Amino acid sequence: MTLSIYMMMLQEIKPKTILEFGTYDGGSALWMEDILNSLSFECQIYTFDINEDKVKLPQESKIKFHKLDNHKINEFIELNKKLFDDLESPILVIEDSHENACGIIKAIDPFLVSGDYLIIEDTLDQKKYQDTIISSNGIDKGKYLVDTHFCDLWGINNSWNINSIFRKT
């Protein structure tokens, strides 16, 4: 169900930029690249992970991998300011690293504009994610709305992303 939701999101949002935090071996980023290529959409995919030895992106892929310790996200952004200043909207941010998610979201927020999307993966524990990541981290809940169209596509919260597909207002 999650893959079909992502496929619909890619078709409807037509992102120009995807930021994926939590590359692991690169399968999700490669899948998105394939889908976007099949739709003839131009999109730059950036993926971030601390374990670069696990990442298996083919050389012909246009995905840009960056080694990142999520606890040093602010320093990373400062060192790569041009990358973040030049991000093209619509932007789709996927937090799937499960490490310093609050810090990642807070650091990326200033680069997102109305209509950009933020997905927090694997939010079966709703309280853990919504209460700690959105409200108590200083991110104004009014800046992000749950996109119920995608969250509830297969029934109310019938995916791994329970109330955690957000659209910036």
Side-chain angles (χ1 to χ4, degrees):
M1 290 182 192
T2 300
L3 287 176
S4 61
I5 291 169
Y6 269 119
M7 188 175 294
M8 288 182 68
M9 289 184 79
L10 294 174
Q11 291 177 41
E12 290 182 30
I13 298 167
K14 298 176 180 66
K16 295 283 187 186
T17 308
I18 296 175
L19 304 175
E20 178 194 41
F21 293 90
T23 310
Y24 193 64
D25 64 2
S28 296
L30 284 168
W31 179 82
M32 286 186 279
E33 182 181 54
D34 286 345
I35 296 299
L36 292 164
N37 285 339
S38 72
L39 295 168
S40 298
F41 292 162
E42 292 290 324
C43 179
Q44 182 58 64
I45 300 172
Y46 298 93
T47 187
F48 307 87
D49 203 294
I50 194 168
N51 297 311
E52 66 183 324
D53 55 318
K54 291 184 180 177
V55 178
K56 296 175 178 66
L57 296 172
Q59 286 190 330
E60 64 271 9
S61 171
K62 294 180 182 175
I63 297 167
K64 307 267 193 238
F65 170 77
H66 296 274
K67 182 176 181 175
L68 171 66
D69 175 344
N70 287 355
H71 295 280
K72 297 179 181 178
I73 183 65
N74 293 320
E75 294 92 337
F76 182 86
I77 289 174
E78 193 61 38
L79 290 171
N80 296 278
K81 189 93 168 102
K82 182 161 176 43
L83 181 153
F84 290 93
D85 285 340
D86 292 346
L87 295 176
E88 194 173 346
S89 288
I91 299 170
L92 173 60
V93 178
I94 302 165
E95 192 294 306
D96 194 19
S97 62
H98 315 296
E99 189 68 35
N100 193 28
C102 291
I104 294 289
I105 294 166
K106 190 172 184 177
I108 294 302
D109 176 66
F111 300 99
L112 303 181
V113 299
S114 178
D116 289 343
Y117 274 79
L118 165 64
I119 299 173
I120 305 168
E121 284 280 346
D122 306 321
T123 52
L124 294 175
D125 182 350
Q126 291 181 33
K127 186 159 183 59
K128 172 183 170 187
Y129 281 88
Q130 287 195 299
D131 290 349
T132 61
I133 292 177
I134 300 300
S135 58
S136 68
N137 194 39
I139 296 175
D140 180 3
K141 271 189 173 178
K143 288 168 72 175
Y144 291 89
L145 296 176
V146 173
D147 190 322
T148 56
H149 170 70
F150 292 118
C151 283
D152 300 339
L153 188 66
W154 301 107
I156 296 173
N157 282 317
N158 195 7
S159 78
W160 287 94
N161 305 325
I162 296 176
N163 284 338
S164 61
I165 299 174
F166 298 98
R167 184 177 44 82
K168 189 161 186 178
T169 57

